[in-house]
């Protein structure tokens, strides 16, 4: 009874031979199959072949009977007639099957191949049953044995079931061949290669079993428990069970054998998308529409999942319509590739060493890929170029920039941040990634999300196409200006990184330069630049060209944003290529400081209060930074913002191109008047000297253009606020600052003021530089930052119309007004004291006494040094000549003012202070301590003339008496006592020369 079936009439129920009645199988049928199936041979066969050998052994005799029965069903011409009868109309519709020769046993196999196209219900049911029978044993699959016999032996797949103990369940052989196929793809030089005929046969079998997981015998048995655990309510058919199991592959309770079987299946899908029933069905029309599966091209390329994804994603990115069902399937498989690195043979081939060395044990939920990304970012050692390229390719294939949910590791790490910071954006929107980047390094960001985000952004930043919003808004501009290709095409002449460089060059062109970006593309370019400013590793060119310098100069700068600042600080030390990149980026920042996202975040309160109008401008052009500098010392200013603004000012000093407004206003002037000068401070000095010389020489036409002169003034004023903005002065005084002004803040010109107050103690070089600075300030008081700041309101009150050059003169004239602010008055006095130390610090006196000084005081000039104070010697010399009534009228008028002022305040007479310091301390200490100086110290010295022992001091006091004899106005005590008498008796007599 085991030699074969004795005349069955098909697989249905009815009269005739019954499999369940055969003696060798009766016991197994009763034990394993439900009673209602006993009358149906196909139902009994299906029941018995689905029994797992480990649970319930079927007798070998019954196994043998089943094998013969199945063989007859699929190959015996007698059984073919059943198929012809049941599927009559279907065969007529399917030409390939209608052409099959009668009686050769090929018809059933043909119908199995085309069962997806069968619409006739009875035929479909019959062929479904037959498919299950055929797939239960590889030897029943038409042509499979012929195509793969040699490969089965080569891969030793035939020895899986020694002695064919369970001959009807040969799914393990197919599984073995499948493993051999995927292993070959993962090896550079595979030891064993599956023949092309067998490869085709294996993939065909996988395709045919794509709709029903029962047909993949190895996976069916490996995952039966898992199917019940995870997918109990998932209806079989159309690949639904596969997809359900794929979704649960990384669950802790998933069995290892099922996980392995699912992974093999996914690897086959990666090689041939048709192995996924749902993907092939959902995307069939789209694939045809966008020519993604051109039949005459090599199957291996077109069938690959990656090719399908890239082709269809390209259509989506170009704005073409791809069905929602297909896009849903694409999303699932892109997520699948991101979750499991082992599904990408290129990753295994190119990153094997990196995975073993850095990322072992991190297989699940995309953790291996993120580990590799971390390595590529340089946070965990080095990575090979091939591995980096393989990762870049995978990121393009999966395109997580279009939907963050594709990256499961990122999705899980950032879920809480998305729920709080980005809840206003719909789930899956590409702007979610941008939102996360905007909240990088804020309180809402969590550490895991930060790491995963930067790891992904590293790759997105290296190919402009991977930022979906940027690509959508800029593809037209990129094609027009940068000659780019399609989304899934690359060019050696235009690598991905070069496209963004091209876009941002055009983003900041002026209208005169032409060929600018569209408004919406420019906005996206600015967004990307803002994001890149967060981390140097997000700027591919910067990281590539500056890797050595980052290690050399900035290895300890690990805080957010510090690396770029460090490179800017060391600009002159960088290698040429790195210096160019950092210089270009800094130049760009000077035009649009909003690129500096971290600085903008720190400065937000001050921007909202003082700079909101310029911050809202689409085009910045340097206005915002100028506003921040002008408001740097407002009480609302916070430390982080102030430090950031000052740092940018310091960086600007390295190259005049880094000050956008200055560059745009003065570039022609610089080329003409200051060629080959690069540093901003040198350019400012060059242009300022030219302007001053033209002014002094009363040139008919200024060589420096008006727009440049205006902006030059802004730059000069900004430089006065911090000594570090004047590099030569700063370098000369570094040691003095450390010795005398260590705890004084740099801002508000406080260090400069500190140095002025202790000028006599300074080193020679620093003293000389400070003297030169004071000489410049006295010629142009608007450059005296402290004076202008302290006296700001008094200038508005007393000197609103005054020319900047005459500002101090105006303040001096109003110094003793009742409404003069005491702090401003004190500052004016300080500047007067400074002026009186050297005639060169008093431009008005210098001009008025231009002829008198060389005439009467040449011997003093002969001893003078260019940059050292004369300690009031020239002014003392002129005072003596004033008393002798020998000065010119203009000079006399100026000396009279100085004598009058110093008669009220002894500190304004440096010679008196120098020679009488001991006498003032011993004889006039109380008068000197008075807060308001009204001539009491001078009067005290006159009264105590006979007590003065020092000849030089006595001489100075006698000179004072001589001066007061020449003019009563210079003796405040006498003038006050005789004021009424002068009014009554001497009003008509002009002052001076002792007449009154």
């Amino acid at each position: 009874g085991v030699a074969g079936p004795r005349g069955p009439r098909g697989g249905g129920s009815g009269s005739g031979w019954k499999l369940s009645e055969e003696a060798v199988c009766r016991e197994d049928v009763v034990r394993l199959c439900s009673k209602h199936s006993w009358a149906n041979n196909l139902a009994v066969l299906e029941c018995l072949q689905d029994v797992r050998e480990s649970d319930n052994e079927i007798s070998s005799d019954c196994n043998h009977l089943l094998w013969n029965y199945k063989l007859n069903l699929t190959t015996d011409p007698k059984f073919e007639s059943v198929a012809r009868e049941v599927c009559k109309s279907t065969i007529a519709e399917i030409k390939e099957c209608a052409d099959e020769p009668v009686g050769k046993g090929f018809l059933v196999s043909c119908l199995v191949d085309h069962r997806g196209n069968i619409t006739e219900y009875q035929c479909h049911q019959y062929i479904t049953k037959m498919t299950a029978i055929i797939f239960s044993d590889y030897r029943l699959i038409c042509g499979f044995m012929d195509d793969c016999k040699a490969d089965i032996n080569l891969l030793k797949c035939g020895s899986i079931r020694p002695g064919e103990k369970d001959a009807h369940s040969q799914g393990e052989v197919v599984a073995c061949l499948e493993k051999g196929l995927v292993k070959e793809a993962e090896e550079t030089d595979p030891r064993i290669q599956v023949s092309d005929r067998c490869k085709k046969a294996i993939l065909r079998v996988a395709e045919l079993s794509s709709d029903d997981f029962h047909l993949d015998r190895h996976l069916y048995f490996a995952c039966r428990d898992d199917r019940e655990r995870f997918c109990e309510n998932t209806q079989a058919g159309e690949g639904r069970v596969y997809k359900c199991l794929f979704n649960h592959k990384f669950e802790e309770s998933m069995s290892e054998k099922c996980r392995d079987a699912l992974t093999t299946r996914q690897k086959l899908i990666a090689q041939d998308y048709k192995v996924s029933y749902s993907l092939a069905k959902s995307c069939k029309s789209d694939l045809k529409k966008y020519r993604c599966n051109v039949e005459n091209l090599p199957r291996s390329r077109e069938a690959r999942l990656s090719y399908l994804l890239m082709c269809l994603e390209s259509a989506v990115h170009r704005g073409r319509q791809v069905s929602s069902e297909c896009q849903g399937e694409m999303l699932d498989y892109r997520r699948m590739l991101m979750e499991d690195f082992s599904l990408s043979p290129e990753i295994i081939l190119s990153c094997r060493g990196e995975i073993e060395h850095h990322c072992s044990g991190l297989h699940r939920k995309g953790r291996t890929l993120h580990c590799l990304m971390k390595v590529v970012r340089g946070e965990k050692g080095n990575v090979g170029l091939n591995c980096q390229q393989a990762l870049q390719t995978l990121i393009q294939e999966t395109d997580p920039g279009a939907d963050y949910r594709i990256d499961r590791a990122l999705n899980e790490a950032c879920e809480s941040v998305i729920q709080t910071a980005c809840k206003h954006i719909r789930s899956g929107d590409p702007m979610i990634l941008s939102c996360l980047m905007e909240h990088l390094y804020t309180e809402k960001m969590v550490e895991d999300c930060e790491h995963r985000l930067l790891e992904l952004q590293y790759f997105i930043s290296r190919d402009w196409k991977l930022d979906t919003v940027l690509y959508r808004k800029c593809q037209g501009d990129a094609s027009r200006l940068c000659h780019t290709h399609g989304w899934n095409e690359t060019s050696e002449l235009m690598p991905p990184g070069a496209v963004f460089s091209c876009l941002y060059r055009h983003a900041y062109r002026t209208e005169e330069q032409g060929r600018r970006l569209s408004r919406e593309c420019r906005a996206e370019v600015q967004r990307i630049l803002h994001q890149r400013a967060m981390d140097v590793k997000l700027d591919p060119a910067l990281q590539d060209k500056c890797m050595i310098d980052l290690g050399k100069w900035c290895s300890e700068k690990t805080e957010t944003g510090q690396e770029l600042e460090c490179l800017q600080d060391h600009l002159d030390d960088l290698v040429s290529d790195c210096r160019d990149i950092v210089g270009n980026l800094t130049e760009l920042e000077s035009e649009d400081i909003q690129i500096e996202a971290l600085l903008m975040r720190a400065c937000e309160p001050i921007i909202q209060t003082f700079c909101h109008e310029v911050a809202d401008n689409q085009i910045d052009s340097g206005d915002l930074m100028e506003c921040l500098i002008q408001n740097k010392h407002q009480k609302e200013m916070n430390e982080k913002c102030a430090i950031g603004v000052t740092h940018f000012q310091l960086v600007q000093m390295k190259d005049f191109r880094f000050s956008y407004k200055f560059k745009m206003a003065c570039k022609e002037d610089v080329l003409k008047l200051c060629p080959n000068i690069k540093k901003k401070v040198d350019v400012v000095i060059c242009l300022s000297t030219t302007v001053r010389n033209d002014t002094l020489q009363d040139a008919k036409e200024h060589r420096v253009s008006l727009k440049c002169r205006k902006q030059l003034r802004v730059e000069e004023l900004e430089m006065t606020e911090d000594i570090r903005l004047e590099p030569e002065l700063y370098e000369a005084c570094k040691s003095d600052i450390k010795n005398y002004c260590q705890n004084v803040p740099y801002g508000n010109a406080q260090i400069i003021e500190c140095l002025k107050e202790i000028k006599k103690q300074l080193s020679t070089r620093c003293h000389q530089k400070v003297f030169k600075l004071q000489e410049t300030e006295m010629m142009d008081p608007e450059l005296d930052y402290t004076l202008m700041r302290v006296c700001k309101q008094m200038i508005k009150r007393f000197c609103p119309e005054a020319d900047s050059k005459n500002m101090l003169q105006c303040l001096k004239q109003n110094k003793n007004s009742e409404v003069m602010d005491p702090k401003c008055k004190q500052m004016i006095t300080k500047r007067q004291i400074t002026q009186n130390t050297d005639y060169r610090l008093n431009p008005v006196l210098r001009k008025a006494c231009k002829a008198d000084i060389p005439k009467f005081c040449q011997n003093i000039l002969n001893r003078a040094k260019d940059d050292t104070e004369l300690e009031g010697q020239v002014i003392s010399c002129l005072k003596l000549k004033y008393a002798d009534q020998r000065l010119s009228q203009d000079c006399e008028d100026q000396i009279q003012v100085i004598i009058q002022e110093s008669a009220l305040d002894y500190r304004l007479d440096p010679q008196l202070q120098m020679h009488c310091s001991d006498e003032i301390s011993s004889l006039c200490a109380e008068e000197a301590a008075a807060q308001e100086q009204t001539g009491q110290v001078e009067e005290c010295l006159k009264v105590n003339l006979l007590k003065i022992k020092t000849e030089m001091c006595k001489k100075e006091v006698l000179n004072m008496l001589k001066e007061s004899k020449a003019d009563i106005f210079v003796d405040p005590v006498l003038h006050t006592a005789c004021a009424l008498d002068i009014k009554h008796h001497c009003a008509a007599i002009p002052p001076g020369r002792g007449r009154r």
Side-chain angles (χ1 to χ4, degrees):
V2 297
R6 296 187 299 264
R9 292 291 179 204
S13 57
S15 58
W17 179 82
K18 297 287 187 293
L19 192 57
S20 59
E21 294 175 356
E22 285 293 323
V24 292
C25 288
R26 190 180 300 123
E27 187 182 329
D28 292 317
V29 171
V30 171
R31 181 164 53 90
L32 299 169
C33 305
S34 58
K35 193 170 184 179
H36 72 268
S37 68
W38 291 357
N40 188 316
N41 288 337
L42 289 182
V44 170
L45 181 59
E46 189 175 13
C47 163
L48 293 176
Q49 70 183 14
D50 282 356
V51 172
R52 274 179 301 183
E53 60 283 353
S54 58
D55 293 345
N56 297 283
E57 288 279 329
I58 298 173
S59 68
S60 57
D61 286 344
C62 183
N63 259 332
H64 192 57
L65 174 65
L66 294 174
W67 158 248
N68 281 304
Y69 178 55
K70 288 190 289 186
L71 191 60
N72 286 338
L73 274 175
T74 56
T75 59
D76 193 322
K78 288 185 289 183
F79 288 94
E80 188 181 291
S81 60
V82 178
R84 289 191 179 277
E85 186 181 321
V86 175
C87 298
K88 191 174 184 179
S89 59
T90 299
I91 294 167
E93 290 171 9
I94 302 173
K95 187 177 182 302
E96 291 91 331
C97 298
D99 292 343
E100 289 289 359
V102 178
K104 296 293 185 182
F106 296 144
L107 178 65
V108 173
S109 182
C110 179
L111 289 170
V112 167
D113 278 356
H114 292 85
R115 77 184 189 284
N117 299 323
I118 299 173
T119 55
E120 193 180 353
Y121 178 74
Q122 280 190 316
C123 178
H124 190 273
Q125 289 293 94
Y126 178 75
I127 293 302
T128 299
K129 294 285 186 185
M130 293 303 293
T131 304
I133 292 166
I134 291 171
F135 275 78
S136 68
D137 194 318
Y138 73 95
R139 293 170 296 181
L140 300 176
I141 301 169
C142 184
F144 188 84
M145 190 65 183
D146 295 334
D147 291 336
C148 292
K149 187 173 183 180
D151 300 275
I152 291 169
N153 291 328
L154 187 65
L155 292 164
K156 297 184 172 59
C157 294
S159 60
I160 290 175
R161 297 251 169 255
E164 294 193 10
K165 182 178 178 184
D166 183 12
H168 84 285
S169 180
Q170 288 290 310
E172 299 295 329
V173 175
V174 177
C176 172
L177 290 169
E178 288 173 345
K179 284 182 184 293
L181 179 61
V182 297
K183 186 179 179 185
E184 181 188 321
E186 295 166 359
E187 292 180 352
T188 311
D189 188 17
R191 191 171 52 84
I192 298 173
Q193 290 183 303
V194 179
S195 67
D196 288 342
R197 280 179 66 194
C198 187
K199 276 181 189 173
K200 194 173 179 181
I202 292 167
L203 291 172
R204 175 174 161 270
V205 168
E207 287 176 16
L208 291 171
S209 61
S210 65
D211 64 333
D212 189 348
F213 95 115
H214 292 88
L215 303 182
D216 186 331
R217 304 305 290 169
H218 170 71
L219 187 143
Y220 170 69
F221 285 123
C223 296
R224 273 173 71 169
D225 287 344
D226 299 282
R227 189 263 168 99
E228 289 169 16
R229 187 180 302 117
F230 298 113
C231 310
E232 186 181 5
N233 298 320
T234 303
Q235 188 179 350
E238 298 194 340
R240 285 186 287 265
V241 176
Y242 286 127
K243 286 199 74 173
C244 175
L245 289 169
F246 289 160
N247 290 335
H248 291 88
K249 190 173 97 168
F250 288 120
E251 298 284 349
E252 293 296 330
S253 52
M254 171 70 75
S255 67
E256 274 305 320
K257 61 181 179 179
C258 180
R259 188 179 289 123
D260 288 344
L262 291 170
T263 300
T264 300
R265 183 93 196 167
Q266 288 175 320
K267 287 179 179 181
L268 291 174
I269 293 171
Q271 289 200 30
D272 180 359
Y273 75 90
K274 291 180 183 174
V275 177
S276 167
Y277 179 88
S278 55
L279 181 64
K281 183 183 178 186
S282 299
C283 295
K284 185 176 181 180
S285 60
D286 294 295
L287 289 167
K288 188 174 181 181
K289 185 176 178 182
Y290 300 114
R291 298 173 61 82
C292 297
N293 57 350
V294 184
E295 295 301 331
N296 59 355
L297 288 173
R299 173 192 172 90
S300 59
R301 178 173 171 237
E302 264 51 47
R304 286 182 67 84
L305 176 64
S306 58
Y307 180 84
L308 171 144
L309 292 174
M310 295 268 277
C311 182
L312 290 177
E313 282 165 30
S314 176
V316 172
H317 285 297
R318 292 198 312 271
R320 305 291 189 269
Q321 195 66 40
V322 173
S323 68
S324 57
E325 294 84 0
C326 180
Q327 288 203 52
E329 288 294 322
M330 288 165 63
L331 184 69
D332 288 341
Y333 282 97
R334 283 152 63 194
R335 187 187 288 129
M336 181 185 86
L337 291 172
M338 277 296 288
E339 270 192 357
D340 190 346
F341 78 95
S342 70
L343 305 185
S344 303
E346 295 81 6
I347 298 291
I348 294 175
L349 276 170
S350 306
C351 303
R352 184 174 274 114
E354 287 81 358
I355 292 169
E356 288 173 2
H357 194 253
H358 299 291
C359 307
S360 57
L362 296 172
H363 187 83
R364 298 177 183 182
K365 298 182 183 178
R367 284 181 292 190
T368 304
L369 281 176
H370 269 278
C371 172
L372 288 171
M373 291 178 190
K374 193 172 185 177
V375 176
V376 170
R377 264 178 61 84
E379 294 177 29
K380 285 182 71 174
N382 295 319
V383 70
L385 191 61
N386 288 343
C387 180
Q388 184 167 342
Q389 189 54 54
L391 284 165
Q392 189 73 48
T393 302
L394 178 62
I395 299 299
Q396 186 176 3
E397 290 167 3
T398 54
D399 197 16
D403 189 336
Y404 71 95
R405 296 170 300 179
I406 289 165
D407 188 341
R408 184 167 173 179
L410 174 76
N411 191 9
E412 290 183 359
C414 297
E415 191 174 359
S416 62
V417 184
I418 292 167
Q419 292 303 319
T420 53
C422 311
K423 60 185 177 185
H424 59 289
I425 305 173
R426 69 173 177 81
S427 183
D429 192 291
M431 286 308 292
I432 290 274
L433 276 183
S434 252
C435 174
L436 290 172
M437 285 299 293
E438 283 167 21
H439 288 87
L440 199 61
Y441 309 125
T442 66
E443 291 176 0
K444 289 183 178 178
M445 182 55 66
V446 296
E447 190 177 1
D448 269 0
C449 178
E450 179 185 306
H451 291 316
R452 301 298 85 77
L453 181 61
L454 287 173
E455 286 153 14
L456 178 61
Q457 283 293 141
Y458 178 91
F459 288 91
I460 291 177
S461 68
R462 274 149 180 77
D463 187 345
W464 77 289
K465 302 190 298 287
L466 300 184
D467 188 299
T468 304
V469 183
L470 175 70
Y471 185 80
R472 188 166 65 232
K473 303 282 187 183
C474 292
Q475 57 180 313
D477 295 272
S479 176
R480 176 171 55 90
L481 301 170
C482 311
H483 313 294
T484 54
H485 297 267
W487 188 85
N488 57 338
E489 296 173 28
T490 55
S491 164
E492 292 298 322
L493 298 173
M494 183 61 75
V499 178
F500 186 75
S501 297
C502 167
L503 287 172
Y504 92 63
R505 280 197 305 275
H506 285 89
Y508 290 92
R509 286 192 168 188
T510 61
E511 287 183 19
E512 295 80 41
Q513 290 171 317
R515 292 167 69 84
R516 299 186 73 194
L517 296 187
S518 62
R519 180 182 286 267
E520 57 181 13
C521 178
R522 180 189 162 100
E524 290 309 311
V525 170
Q526 287 175 315
R527 173 179 65 83
I528 300 298
L529 288 170
H530 296 173
Q531 292 177 4
R532 288 186 172 189
M534 302 272 197
D535 189 326
V536 293
K537 291 180 179 127
L538 297 183
D539 190 324
L542 185 68
Q543 197 197 17
D544 179 42
K545 302 294 185 188
C546 297
M547 194 173 287
I548 294 170
D549 285 306
L550 282 166
K552 186 175 182 180
W553 305 109
C554 311
S555 56
E556 294 178 7
K557 303 290 184 181
T558 55
E559 292 294 314
T560 308
Q562 281 188 338
E563 287 176 311
L564 178 57
E565 287 184 3
C566 169
L567 289 173
Q568 289 171 328
D569 291 340
H570 288 90
L571 188 68
D572 296 332
D573 305 315
L574 306 179
V575 297
S576 176
D577 285 350
C578 178
R579 186 165 61 245
D580 289 345
I581 291 278
V582 175
N584 290 339
L585 183 58
T586 309
E587 191 175 353
L588 197 60
E589 286 179 347
S590 76
E591 181 177 356
D592 182 8
I593 194 60
Q594 294 191 57
I595 289 169
E596 272 283 6
L598 295 170
L599 178 61
M600 289 301 96
R601 199 178 287 163
C603 295
E604 191 171 348
I606 205 90
I607 290 170
Q608 290 304 319
T609 309
F610 298 101
C611 309
H612 60 91
E613 287 183 7
V614 290
D616 293 339
N617 292 344
Q618 171 91 24
I619 299 169
D620 181 0
S621 302
D623 294 325
L624 182 54
M625 177 51 77
E626 194 171 272
C627 177
L628 287 170
I629 290 169
Q630 288 166 0
N631 291 282
K632 194 164 75 167
H633 297 290
Q634 298 286 356
K635 62 179 184 293
E636 291 87 349
M637 176 62 76
N638 61 70
E639 187 183 11
K640 272 189 178 179
C641 179
I643 289 171
V645 171
T646 301
H647 175 266
F648 196 75
Q649 286 181 279
L650 295 173
V651 170
Q652 285 182 321
M653 302 314 295
K654 296 175 185 288
D655 193 321
F656 97 100
R657 295 179 303 128
F658 298 166
S659 300
Y660 179 75
K661 297 191 84 170
F662 186 37
K663 176 185 75 175
M664 296 309 291
C666 296
K667 57 185 175 184
E668 287 89 358
D669 303 85
V670 172
L671 284 170
K672 183 173 66 177
L673 301 167
C674 314
N676 306 320
I677 298 179
K678 180 182 173 186
K679 289 189 175 179
K680 178 180 171 181
V681 66
D682 296 332
V683 172
V684 169
I685 291 168
C686 169
L687 293 173
S688 299
T689 305
T690 306
V691 171
R692 188 175 64 196
N693 290 342
D694 287 352
T695 305
L696 292 173
Q697 293 164 15
D698 294 322
K700 286 183 179 179
E701 191 174 329
H702 272 280
R703 286 174 287 171
V704 179
S705 65
L706 180 61
K707 66 174 182 178
C708 179
R709 293 203 303 274
K710 285 182 177 178
Q711 190 58 38
L712 177 64
R713 192 65 183 165
V714 173
E715 304 299 331
E716 287 176 325
L717 294 175
E718 285 180 3
M719 285 166 62
T720 63
E721 182 267 333
D722 190 320
I723 193 171
R724 293 171 297 180
L725 300 177
E726 303 201 41
E728 280 193 21
L729 175 63
Y730 182 52
E731 284 300 317
C733 296
K734 255 185 179 175
S735 59
D736 299 274
I737 293 168
K738 187 177 180 183
N739 293 333
Y740 305 115
C741 310
Q742 194 169 10
N743 299 318
V744 178
Y746 280 98
N748 266 334
Q750 290 174 88
I751 292 282
I752 293 173
E753 203 58 31
C754 170
L755 293 173
K756 287 176 183 176
E757 287 175 4
I758 50 142
K759 197 162 56 171
K760 290 182 180 178
Q761 297 165 254
L762 300 178
S763 62
T764 304
R765 188 160 164 250
C766 178
H767 191 147
Q768 290 170 347
K769 292 290 181 187
V770 171
F771 178 80
K772 281 291 182 190
L773 173 69
Q774 289 179 312
E775 192 175 2
T776 304
E777 288 176 348
M778 294 304 178
M779 288 177 68
D780 189 350
E782 200 176 18
L783 298 178
D784 186 339
Y785 185 89
T786 308
L787 176 72
M788 300 306 289
R789 179 176 61 84
V790 173
C791 295
K792 186 176 181 180
Q793 297 306 320
M794 295 301 102
I795 290 169
K796 284 182 181 177
R797 178 186 286 269
F798 296 112
C799 314
E801 304 297 326
D803 180 72
S804 62
K805 304 285 190 291
N806 300 320
M807 201 70 74
L808 180 58
Q809 195 67 17
C810 172
L811 288 169
K812 280 158 59 174
Q813 289 164 2
N814 292 280
K815 172 181 162 184
N816 295 314
S817 166
E818 289 180 3
V819 291
M820 174 58 73
D821 174 63
K823 285 185 178 177
C824 179
K825 185 175 182 178
Q826 188 180 5
M827 184 54 62
I828 297 167
T829 302
K830 274 189 179 182
R831 295 303 180 252
Q832 287 179 292
I833 293 169
T834 299
Q835 281 191 324
N836 289 352
T837 60
D838 197 304
Y839 78 98
R840 290 169 293 185
L841 301 180
N842 190 333
V844 179
L845 175 70
R846 189 174 185 176
K847 186 177 181 183
C849 301
K850 187 165 57 174
D852 302 82
I853 292 171
K855 183 178 178 181
F856 299 115
C857 313
Q858 187 62 49
N859 61 326
I860 298 170
L861 296 183
N862 293 339
R863 300 193 303 270
K865 293 180 180 176
D866 282 346
D867 41 21
T868 308
E869 293 91 336
L870 292 167
E871 299 297 347
Q873 291 178 70
V874 170
I875 294 174
S876 287
C877 165
L878 292 172
K879 281 180 182 179
L880 290 173
K881 302 306 172 187
Y882 170 83
D884 295 339
Q885 301 175 5
R886 296 174 63 186
L887 299 178
S888 64
Q889 189 60 53
D890 286 347
C891 186
E892 184 178 296
D893 291 344
Q894 287 304 314
I895 290 296
Q896 184 181 25
V897 171
I898 289 173
I899 291 170
Q900 287 170 358
E901 287 170 344
S902 56
L904 286 168
D905 190 339
Y906 74 99
R907 294 171 300 175
L908 300 182
D909 188 336
Q911 288 290 302
L912 180 69
Q913 260 198 302
M914 183 191 296
H915 297 306
C916 297
S917 59
D918 292 339
E919 285 75 8
I920 291 170
S921 299
S922 59
L923 300 172
C924 310
E926 190 177 334
E927 289 83 353
Q931 193 167 4
E932 185 75 18
Q933 289 295 319
T934 55
Q936 59 268 54
V937 172
E938 288 85 343
E939 191 62 26
C940 168
L941 289 171
K942 289 175 188 175
V943 169
N944 290 289
L945 177 62
L946 297 176
K947 294 181 183 178
I948 296 172
K949 301 287 189 283
T950 313
E951 282 302 316
M952 290 302 289
C953 179
K954 193 178 287 184
K955 185 179 176 183
E956 289 299 322
V957 176
L958 287 169
N959 284 341
M960 275 198 297
L961 290 166
K962 190 177 178 183
E963 289 158 9
S964 60
K965 182 183 174 186
D967 193 338
I968 194 169
F969 274 106
V970 302
D971 188 329
V973 177
L974 181 60
H975 181 259
T976 304
C978 300
L980 285 172
D981 300 273
I982 292 168
K983 186 177 180 182
H984 291 147
H985 306 296
C986 311
I989 299 172
R993 309 208 172 188
R995 290 187 290 260
R996 283 188 171 177

